[in-house]
Amino acid sequence: MKVLKFGGTSVGTIESLTNVKNIVDNLDEPAIVVVSALGGLTDRLISTANDAANGTEEFRQDMISIRKRHYDIINALVRKNLRDEITQKVNTLLDELENRYQGLSLIKTLPESTLAEIVSFGERISSIIIAGILDNAEHHDSTEFIKTEKWFSKNITDRSLTDRLIKDEFKLPLKKTCVAGGFISKDKNTGEITNLGRGGSDYTAALIAAALDADTLEIWTDVDGFLTADPRIIPSAQLIPKMSFVESMELCSFGAKVIYPPTIYPVFHKNIPIKILNTFNPKAPGTLITDFAVRKGNIRGISSLGKSSLIRIEGPLTSNVPEINSRAYNAMARSGLNIYLVSPPSDTTSFSMAVPTEGLTNALENLRIEFAPELDNEEILKIDGKDSLSVLAIVGEGIRQLTGLGSRLLDTLRCASIQVLAQSDAASETTLAFVINDKDVKESLRLIHYACFGV
Ligand code: ADP
Ligand code: ASP
Ligand code: MG
């Protein structure tokens, strides 16, 4: 049994949905199909919510076009015998959505829980419509089996509960194609609608695939597969026919948007292969991600992650500070921030970490509290952060063994007068990372892609 996920790029228009129908209706056996909201709709739902909460009347116009977009698809593609029933279900949801906007325009604030409910309408509606478009298909409500719980300020999935509920929901072997909305979930304690984060439909599909021990997880999107770089920045990027789970995890964590990073863990643990396929070119072979031994020492791809900052802890005696690494990591964990990379001191006087800019202020506060004694006795002179940076990653299993790769790529950037503010330590066998200014990202990617792949 396969799980197929079609992203917003694949379910945005009548034409792309016709491709989805051809792909799914021609499968040899029933599958589970996870779908996103219509392309671009989640952004639209959010901006309309902001308009309504700001007290402007524009949301009424937006609602008219949101309704029309859905009705046009229903009228063009839903099977005739289901059209009235589906129009009615969708209408009920659209009315509810309009009521939420109406409410916001009165209270003039946008509570987080209301926004979560508003964005959920995208997948709640698209999944009902797509179940009506596909042959012999039934709709499943993902909020009934994808369950989250609060962890500090975040919603995280309760994996064991979710696994159990997925197994109860989908009885194998499947008799019909099952269609479920991606991204959406419910809090297991409060029953409030939550979600898995932007781009999270991939993760829904992975949770289902892992719980049911699917044969494959197919991510259908608008490119021929995982490419050596983001094709919007590097048009000459090449298809990667095969890659390891670890390589895909690293590239996605460092900004390759093609898969939402948490997606890879559940299927990796079950050793379920992922295929990246193109809805607009379904015969193309795509990319196969498995744990087979890829040839080590090959650069697989490059990516970049914006909205990054660099924290520097500086002082003449920094290297003497007891347990500076673990204390800095703990302070970052208390701030709820990931660390993208840690840079070894170029001399003994500084220690730097690249982190997401969001939450930087809070992280600096926590670090200053943690190292208050050392700041006091001047072992550390300052702890500060620089924003508007990006992390550039070069990924491939075993690339650390490529002697001189790091210095060759650094030279490439320096020759073009591109400043490298920090580089990763030698901890990762798979990833080399540089911190650069945002303004240099495109040119750096272009130069590094050429240096690595010759195009
Ligand atoms: P979907 O709506 O199908 O989830 P996304 O927009 O989330 O699609 O992801 C697909 C997009 O990811 C592609 O259109 C491409 O522009 C972008 N992308 C970024 N990096 C890569 C890469 N290395 N390989 C392929 N696509 C990439
Ligand atoms: N619709 C959601 C988003 O745009 C989830 C997804 O597409 O994966 O982020
Ligand atoms: Mg996506």
Side-chain angles (χ1 to χ4, degrees):
M1 191 276 297
K2 288 199 292 198
V3 177
L4 292 81
K5 177 264 173 176
F6 291 91
T9 51
S10 302
V11 300
T13 63
I14 293 169
E15 292 68 38
S16 61
L17 279 164
T18 307
N19 293 352
V20 172
K21 180 170 169 59
N22 286 333
I23 293 162
V24 178
D25 289 350
N26 287 314
L27 293 173
D28 295 337
E29 54 169 3
I32 298 178
V33 175
V34 174
V35 295
S36 292
L38 306 189
L41 188 76
T42 310
D43 286 339
R44 185 79 187 271
L45 291 171
I46 295 170
S47 64
T48 303
N50 283 312
D51 285 347
N54 288 335
T56 68
E57 287 291 302
E58 256 165 58
F59 76 89
R60 297 189 196 281
Q61 241 1 79
D62 281 352
M63 260 323 293
I64 293 172
S65 65
I66 290 171
R67 279 184 190 275
K68 181 171 181 318
R69 195 168 167 205
H70 288 98
Y71 295 148
D72 285 349
I73 290 174
I74 295 175
N75 292 330
L77 295 177
V78 167
R79 282 175 283 151
K80 272 214 175 73
N81 58 328
L82 296 175
R83 222 170 267 172
D84 287 345
E85 182 193 329
I86 287 188
T87 307
Q88 212 172 14
K89 282 187 187 162
V90 169
N91 246 333
T92 308
L93 289 168
L94 288 167
D95 289 347
E96 250 185 75
L97 173 63
E98 190 157 2
N99 282 338
R100 295 294 171 279
Y101 285 143
Q102 182 76 41
L104 290 179
S105 75
L106 296 174
I107 61 168
K108 297 201 169 54
T109 53
L110 179 49
E112 215 175 288
S113 56
T114 310
L115 184 63
E117 197 192 347
I118 284 175
V119 290
S120 76
F121 283 99
E123 272 76 4
R124 282 156 78 195
I125 297 174
S126 68
S127 54
I128 290 175
I129 296 178
I130 294 167
I133 292 175
L134 302 176
D135 285 349
N136 193 30
E138 62 188 18
H139 177 254
H140 292 254
D141 179 356
S142 307
T143 63
E144 295 301 320
F145 53 85
I146 306 286
K147 298 291 175 186
T148 61
E149 59 189 325
K150 270 263 175 275
W151 189 74
F152 296 99
S153 60
K154 292 185 182 158
N155 294 309
I156 56 162
T157 43
D158 179 333
R159 280 296 306 280
S160 56
L161 175 61
T162 298
D163 265 20
R164 189 159 49 74
L165 294 174
I166 291 172
K167 286 192 180 101
D168 290 345
E169 180 80 18
F170 301 97
K171 291 289 173 223
L172 301 180
L174 300 175
K175 296 200 173 56
K176 287 181 165 208
T177 298
C178 300
V179 182
F183 176 62
I184 52 178
S185 46
K186 265 189 190 160
D187 184 287
K188 70 169 186 182
N189 298 312
T190 64
E192 278 186 357
I193 291 191
T194 55
N195 62 60
L196 306 180
R198 293 305 305 272
S201 295
D202 298 336
Y203 186 40
T204 307
L207 291 172
I208 297 175
L212 300 176
D213 289 307
D215 300 318
T216 325
L217 167 61
E218 294 185 353
I219 306 280
W220 289 84
T221 183
D222 64 347
V223 283
D224 274 346
F226 217 122
L227 307 177
T228 48
D230 185 343
R232 286 166 302 186
I233 303 176
I234 310 290
S236 60
Q238 298 165 324
L239 178 73
I240 306 171
K242 285 180 180 180
M243 66 201 303
S244 72
F245 283 117
V246 174
E247 288 170 335
S248 67
M249 255 181 240
E250 290 287 289
L251 281 168
C252 293
S253 314
F254 282 107
K257 198 191 168 201
V258 63
I259 316 176
Y260 181 54
T263 306
I264 299 155
Y265 299 93
V267 285
F268 169 54
H269 287 304
K270 289 284 187 95
N271 201 8
I272 298 169
I274 307 177
K275 280 186 187 163
I276 312 291
L277 295 158
N278 190 348
T279 306
F280 304 88
N281 185 15
K283 294 221 158 66
T287 297
L288 176 64
I289 304 171
T290 61
D291 79 343
F292 66 88
V294 291
R295 234 182 94 210
K296 299 221 171 189
N298 273 12
I299 301 170
R300 202 69 58 204
I302 64 173
S303 58
S304 68
L305 190 61
K307 297 186 182 138
S308 304
S309 290
L310 193 67
I311 293 180
R312 283 170 72 89
I313 304 178
E314 277 180 75
L317 298 171
T318 301
S319 61
N320 292 349
V321 174
E323 295 175 0
I324 184 165
N325 292 24
S326 56
R327 287 170 63 196
Y329 296 157
N330 286 338
M332 298 308 288
R334 286 197 294 280
S335 320
L337 276 189
N338 289 331
I339 302 176
Y340 296 148
L341 71 80
V342 174
S343 185
S346 44
D347 40 49
T348 51
T349 62
S350 73
F351 172 85
S352 10
M353 293 178 288
V355 298
T357 297
E358 177 193 43
L360 173 67
T361 317
N362 182 240
L364 288 174
E365 255 168 43
N366 282 332
L367 284 166
R368 285 177 189 137
I369 293 170
E370 176 64 44
F371 293 108
E374 287 81 4
L375 282 164
D376 222 29
N377 66 21
E378 297 186 351
E379 273 177 291
I380 292 176
L381 292 184
K382 63 176 180 187
I383 299 179
D384 60 10
K386 179 171 165 44
D387 61 11
S388 305
L389 304 177
S390 289
V391 182
L392 206 141
I394 298 103
V395 174
E397 296 245 19
I399 59 163
R400 280 280 168 195
Q401 294 151 19
L402 296 176
T403 353
L405 177 70
S407 47
R408 185 162 64 87
L409 296 180
L410 269 178
D411 282 348
T412 304
L413 295 177
R414 283 184 185 139
C415 282
S417 305
I418 291 168
Q419 189 191 7
V420 175
L421 291 100
Q423 69 182 95
S424 52
D425 63 15
S428 165
E429 274 297 306
T430 314
T431 304
L432 239 166
F434 300 128
V435 180
I436 54 173
N437 287 298
D438 277 342
K439 67 175 177 55
D440 295 325
V441 170
K442 280 192 185 162
E443 184 60 3
S444 304
L445 281 169
R446 200 184 61 73
L447 289 166
I448 295 225
H449 196 269
Y450 188 79
C452 296
F453 303 104
V455 282

